[in-house]
């Protein structure tokens, strides 16, 4: 039958098949999911690397980018990896490469980056601007690849090969952690300390049936690259048992004095992968929305020398601890980390606990060492075979040469060598390629030594391969060597959970907001003779009589009181220094001593609390809310009373204009009825009414207080109330001019202040102690309420003579050096 010309031939007829869309989508989605899970997102449990990370390390190793060689452009590395092994785009390769170079992302970085590889708040520079090479720990991940330790698989176009897994000389998955999002599953694993992980792996090698509890004795918890504090360990144990769990991380924060009157929270470590800019932003948002109270400012003082330093200023009157609890609740200073330990095991994704993760790695490492030992055994046997052939040839070298010369070609020479000398084909071929210089007597000695060494190595390798226990011991020893080489101390502190407002409801937190501000309660501040400052909160006897204050019990065994002030915890207080400077501060931030057992040594050093210059000392504490003037006496005998309320609106200011080489020797606060007291180094004591000194402004220089003899200077000044003067004592210590003040004790005397007659201002006063032979100056002097308390330079109490001596009597020799005299608590 004829066919119409318009009818197409059968071969050209289109073929259309009906396909169920749901079936097609299911199949395509499964292929896509399989590709993402196995080729991109999940790490292998053996070496802890995703495919892109493994390919980067392998290709950099092939490029020879070792730690002892120079860096190369990151773009070059990215190009090599993309062109040969990972055709999924340069962005994915460079992102993975950057993460392996960031010390804040990995506990043990694998790439040594040169340039801007980013920070917790900013991304890295482009790959054309940065350079990279392998870090030293990466060599332990890729070593022995040329010894058949792992299988090699074809690359994407079957032209090259790449390792299916790296040898991994340490458990990288646990040490550096991992994170990734696949299709239908994800992984998130925390970094750990290399030394602790190796210790657990070695324990598992020695005791294959070790329990999780035993392994956790080596690995108590994660060790994050940025340090910080992990709060609560229950979630960690859950993760180690089941592969899923969570824990909270907190920043490392300390309370420090920022200025003379300002306390701050200093953040030196942040939770894992939390940057300072994110914290600052959240704090500002919280302050603006009224969620955070008591914060005055936030300053980022981070630099390359001191590292992270984030200073959060606390307003006066607010408790730093309470403000910190707020910050934990509303800012990333406290963050959660969820562990989801999913990794590939024999090509299948599994959720693994700590023991399973270690077991997979240990099995992998045993296989690597076994294959490496078998490879080395085979190579040494091959070499021994050649060496034995060479030794045969060297013994009959003349006949060997005759056989070769008599042969027509190489094939005939090889055949005749095999027949005449009973050699193998490999040995004969090797002899034919032998250079004449190897045919010396020394070459024979070298070959015999090499043969003996090869025999010994072959015996050792055969013995190793015949014993499973020996291989496990070798794996353990190699792990110990890696931990010793690359291990570092733990950075993250592990603590049990403690009560925090971060765990209560918003309503409850609002009800507790009042505790942020410290109550303004009666308190007494103590300044010790050795320069320590603290406070004691005074106890109110009952609610109906709030003004009756129960005094603190006197149980101090150390130091003496240089100055004390009764005030309230939120009042404004001033510290007068020997430079004539008054420094403002509030007692609210001072350490509180229990009233039942006051120990001045428990206070803080005043130089750590207030900002003092070199050689500057605090002499007295005064109230800036009192209407009483401040009296000061200087070394050159000048006296001044500062007008109350004439205070500058600054953290510190001068309250007397000192002459050159002059300094303040004492200060006290009082009224016109008080008695002002000077003691000079030549033992002259002068006291006169305070009413005779007209109060002056801050800029004034004062007036003549005591008339000093030539070569003498004022060593003590104070102000006594009428009540204190009635019971006050005068304590002095005399030494010789040739004596060393810190090594020679001298003599001391204590007498009643009432024996000293008052004189007019600007006169010389009366003698307070008669000098013994060799004595010519007072090293220490003090006037105050009895009893006087003497301490050595170290603050330890020293005995003083009993009071009651005559005004101008000589002193009693001392057994120990007295560094200062003050009041008893």
């Amino acid at each position: 039958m004829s066919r119409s010309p318009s009818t197409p031939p059968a071969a050209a007829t289109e073929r259309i098949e009906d396909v169920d869309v749901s079936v097609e989508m299911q199949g395509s989605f499964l292929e896509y999911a399989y590709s993402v899970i196995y080729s991109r997102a999940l790490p292998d449990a053996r070496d802890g690397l995703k495919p892109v990370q493994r390919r980067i390390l392998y290709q950099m190793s092939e490029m020879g980018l070792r730690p002892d060689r120079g860096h190369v452009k990151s773009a070059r590395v990215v190009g090599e990896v993309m062109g040969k092994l990972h055709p999924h785009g340069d962005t994915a390769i460079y992102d993975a490469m950057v993460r392996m170079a960031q010390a804040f992302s990995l506990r043990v970085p694998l790439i040594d980056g040169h340039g801007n590889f980013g920070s917790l708040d900013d991304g890295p520079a482009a790959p054309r601007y940065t350079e990279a090479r392998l870090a030293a720990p990466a060599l332990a991940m890729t070593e022995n690849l040329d010894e058949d330790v792992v299988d090699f698989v074809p690359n994407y176009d079957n032209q090259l090969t790449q390792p299916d897994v790296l040898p991994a000389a340490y458990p990288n998955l646990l040490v550096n952690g991992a994170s990734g999002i696949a299709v239908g599953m994800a992984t998130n694993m925390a970094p750990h300390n290399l030394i602790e992980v190796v210790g657990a792996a070695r324990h598992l090698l020695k005791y294959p049936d070790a329990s999780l509890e035993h392994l956790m004795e080596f690995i108590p918890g994660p060790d994050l690259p940025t340090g910080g504090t992990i709060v609560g360990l229950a979630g960690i144990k859950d993760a180690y048992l089941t592969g899923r769990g969570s824990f909270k991380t907190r920043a490392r924060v300390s309370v420090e004095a920022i200025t003379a009157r300002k306390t701050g929270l200093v953040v030196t470590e942040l939770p894992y992968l939390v940057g300072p800019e994110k914290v600052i932003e959240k704090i500002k948002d919280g302050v603006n929305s009224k969620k955070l109270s008591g914060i005055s400012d936030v300053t980022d003082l981070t630099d390359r020398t001191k590292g992270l330093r984030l200073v959060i200023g606390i307003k006066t009157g607010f408790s730093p601890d309470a403000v910190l609890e707020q910050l934990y609740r509303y800012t990333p200073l406290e963050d959660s980390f969820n562990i989801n330990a999913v990794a590939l095991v024999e090509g299948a994704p599994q959720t693994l606990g700590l023991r399973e993760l270690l077991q997979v790695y240990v099995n992998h490492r045993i296989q690597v060492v076994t294959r490496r030992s078998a490879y080395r055994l085979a190579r040494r046997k091959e070499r021994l075979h050649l060496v034995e052939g060479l030794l045969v040839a060297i013994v009959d070298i003349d006949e060997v040469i005759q056989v070769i010369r008599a042969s027509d070609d190489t094939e005939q020479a090889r055949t005749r060598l095999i027949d005449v000398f009973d050699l193998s084909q490999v040995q004969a071929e090797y002899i034919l390629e032998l250079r004449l210089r190897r045919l010396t007597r020394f070459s024979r000695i070298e070959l015999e030594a090499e043969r003996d060494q090869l025999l010994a190595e072959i015996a050792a390798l055969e013995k190793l391969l015949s014993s499973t226990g020996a291989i496990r011991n070798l794996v353990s020893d190699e792990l110990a060597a890696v931990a010793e080489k690359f291990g570092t101390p733990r950075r993250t502190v592990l603590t049990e959970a403690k009560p925090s407002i971060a765990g209560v409801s918003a309503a409850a937190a609002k009800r507790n907001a009042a505790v942020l501000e410290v109550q303004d309660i009666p308190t007494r501040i103590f300044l010790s003779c050795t320069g320590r400052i603290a406070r004691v909160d005074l106890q109110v006897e009952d609610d109906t009589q709030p003004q009756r204050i129960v005094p603190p019990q006197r149980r101090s065994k150390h130091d003496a009181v240089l100055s004390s002030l009764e005030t309230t915890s939120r009042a404004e207080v001033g510290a007068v220094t020997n430079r004539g400077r008054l420094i403002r501060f509030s007692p609210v931030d001072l350490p509180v001593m229990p009233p039942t057992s006051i120990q001045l040594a428990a206070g803080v050093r005043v130089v750590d609390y207030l900002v003092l210059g070199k050689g500057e000392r605090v002499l007295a504490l005064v109230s800036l809310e009192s209407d009483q003037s401040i009296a000061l006496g200087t070394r050159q005998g000048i006296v001044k009373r500062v007008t109350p309320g004439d205070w500058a609106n600054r953290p510190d200011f001068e309250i007397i204009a000192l002459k050159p080489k002059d300094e303040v020797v004492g200060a006290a606060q009082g009224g016109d009825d008080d008695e002002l007291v000077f003691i000079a180094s030549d033992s002259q004591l002068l006291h006169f009414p305070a009413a005779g000194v007209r109060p002056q402004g801050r800029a004034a220089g004062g007036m003549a207080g005591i008339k000093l003899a030539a070569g003498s200077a004022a060593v003590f000044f104070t102000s006594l109330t009428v009540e204190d003067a009635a019971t006050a004592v005068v304590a002095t210590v005399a030494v010789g001019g040739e004596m060393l003040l810190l090594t020679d004790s001298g003599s001391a005397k204590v007498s009643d202040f009432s024996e000293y007659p008052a004189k007019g201002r600007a006169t010389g006063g009366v003698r307070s102690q008669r000098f013994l032979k060799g004595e010519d100056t007072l090293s220490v002097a003090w006037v105050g309420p009895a009893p006087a308390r003497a301490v050595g330079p170290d603050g330890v109490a020293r005995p003083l003579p009993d009071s009651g001596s005559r005004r101008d009597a000589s002193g009693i020799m001392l057994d120990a050096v007295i560094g200062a005299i003050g009041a008893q608590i």
Side-chain angles (χ1 to χ4, degrees), residues 131-155:
E131 298 177 342
R133 63 184 177 188
L134 290 176
L139 298 183
M141 294 290 294
T142 60
E143 65 180 354
N144 307 131
L145 276 174
D146 57 345
E147 294 186 288
D148 191 34
V149 291
V150 295
D151 294 333
F152 276 69
V153 296
N155 70 333

Side-chain angles (χ1 to χ4, degrees), residues 259-263 316 572 584-586 589 610 649-651:
T259 63
R261 61 172 184 172
K262 190 173 183 180
T263 300
T316 300
E572 259 199 321
R584 293 174 180 265
F585 71 96
S586 174
D589 297 323
L610 302 179
N649 189 23
R650 296 196 303 268

Side-chain angles (χ1 to χ4, degrees), residues 540-548:
V540 179
E541 188 174 84
D542 56 56
D543 295 335
T544 61
Q545 297 178 341
Q547 300 302 319
R548 293 185 58 189

Side-chain angles (χ1 to χ4, degrees), residues 635-750:
R635 186 173 181 80
Q636 296 180 5
I638 301 298
V639 65
K640 179 185 178 182
R641 294 176 69 200
V642 184
T643 303
D646 188 15
W647 317 127
N649 189 23
R650 296 196 303 268
D652 62 281
F653 48 88
E654 291 184 353
I655 57 175
I656 184 173
L658 292 173
K659 296 179 179 179
K661 298 183 180 180
D662 197 7
E663 66 174 352
V664 178
V665 295
Q669 195 166 23
D672 291 342
D673 296 334
D674 289 358
E675 201 74 9
L676 304 184
V677 185
F678 273 100
I679 300 181
S681 59
D682 60 355
S683 186
Q684 294 298 113
L685 184 149
L686 172 67
H687 69 92
F688 52 89
V693 180
R694 178 177 54 84
Q696 297 175 308
R698 291 186 300 104
M703 58 188 69
I706 182 173
K707 183 178 181 181
L708 298 172
S712 66
V715 295
F716 178 80
F717 173 83
T718 193
S719 174
L720 294 177
T721 64
V722 176
E723 294 79 10
D724 288 342
T727 59
V729 293
V730 179
T732 53
V733 177
V735 296
E738 301 298 326
M739 295 181 180
L740 297 175
L741 296 183
L742 295 180
T743 58
D744 295 315
S745 54
S747 64
K749 166 183 165 293
V750 179

Side-chain angles (χ1 to χ4, degrees), residues 516-659:
L516 289 171
E517 295 192 26
V518 178
Q519 293 181 345
D520 194 19
I521 60 176
T523 188
R524 181 176 287 276
I525 314 171
F526 292 98
L527 175 67
S528 77
C529 290
T530 56
R532 304 190 79 86
I533 188 170
R535 86 173 204 249
V536 175
D537 291 340
L538 305 178
Q539 298 174 335
V540 179
E541 188 174 84
D542 56 56
D543 295 335
T544 61
Q545 297 178 341
Q547 300 302 319
R548 293 185 58 189
I549 306 301
V550 179
Q553 298 185 27
R554 302 177 179 181
R555 297 187 181 180
S556 178
K557 303 296 183 182
H558 185 88
D559 217 331
V561 177
L562 177 63
S563 178
S564 66
L565 178 67
E566 188 170 311
T567 179
T568 60
S569 58
R570 297 181 62 186
E572 259 199 321
V573 176
V576 180
T577 75
N578 62 323
R579 300 283 174 80
R581 195 163 63 106
L582 188 146
I583 304 173
R584 293 174 180 265
F585 71 96
S586 174
V588 70
D589 297 323
L590 287 173
V592 181
M593 296 185 295
T596 57
S597 180
I598 301 175
Q599 299 292 335
L600 295 179
V604 296
R605 296 194 312 164
V606 71
V607 294
D608 296 333
Y609 185 75
L610 302 179
V611 180
L612 300 177
K614 185 177 180 180
E616 191 172 17
R617 308 183 313 277
V618 176
L619 302 177
L621 303 174
V622 296
S623 172
L624 299 185
E625 300 176 356
S626 172
D627 58 356
Q628 292 186 324
S629 61
I630 301 174
L632 303 99
T634 76
R635 186 173 181 80
Q636 296 180 5
I638 301 298
V639 65
K640 179 185 178 182
R641 294 176 69 200
V642 184
T643 303
D646 188 15
W647 317 127
N649 189 23
R650 296 196 303 268
D652 62 281
F653 48 88
E654 291 184 353
I655 57 175
I656 184 173
L658 292 173
K659 296 179 179 179

Side-chain angles (χ1 to χ4, degrees), residues 729-807:
V729 293
V730 179
T732 53
V733 177
V735 296
E738 301 298 326
M739 295 181 180
L740 297 175
L741 296 183
L742 295 180
T743 58
D744 295 315
S745 54
S747 64
K749 166 183 165 293
V750 179
S751 56
D752 294 333
F753 178 74
S754 58
E755 291 194 9
Y756 294 82
K759 299 284 185 179
R761 181 182 61 81
T763 61
V766 296
R767 185 167 59 187
S768 62
Q769 179 173 346
R770 184 186 301 273
F771 291 136
L772 296 174
K773 184 177 180 180
E775 298 176 346
D776 58 7
T777 186
L778 294 182
S779 62
V780 181
W782 180 81
V783 179
R789 183 180 179 87
V791 293
D794 55 357
V796 177
R798 299 281 190 263
L800 278 173
D802 294 334
S803 61
S805 299
R806 296 194 328 272
R807 173 182 61 78

Side-chain angles (χ1 to χ4, degrees), residues 327-340:
L327 291 170
Y328 285 151
R329 177 179 176 84
Y330 295 112
T331 72
L333 287 183
E334 181 177 276
D335 198 15
S336 295
F337 190 97
N338 297 315
I339 296 178
N340 187 24

Side-chain angles (χ1 to χ4, degrees), residues 424-493:
S424 67
Q425 184 172 352
V426 175
Q427 289 174 323
E429 186 68 32
Y430 191 70
I431 291 173
L432 288 174
E433 296 176 357
L434 185 67
R435 294 184 178 183
L436 292 177
R437 65 182 182 184
R438 296 294 306 275
L439 303 179
T440 63
R441 179 171 62 87
F442 294 104
S443 294
R444 178 179 178 180
I445 295 174
E446 293 172 0
L447 288 171
E448 289 176 344
E450 184 181 359
R451 177 195 60 191
D452 296 340
Q453 182 180 355
L454 287 170
L455 288 172
E457 292 177 355
I458 289 171
L461 288 169
E462 289 177 340
K463 181 179 180 181
L464 174 65
L465 289 170
S466 65
S467 172
T468 304
I471 292 179
R472 298 178 77 91
N473 290 336
L474 179 58
V475 172
S476 179
D477 294 341
E478 291 180 352
L479 282 171
V482 171
E484 183 178 359
K485 186 176 182 180
F486 302 118
T488 55
R490 166 173 279 276
R491 298 174 186 172
T492 302
V493 177

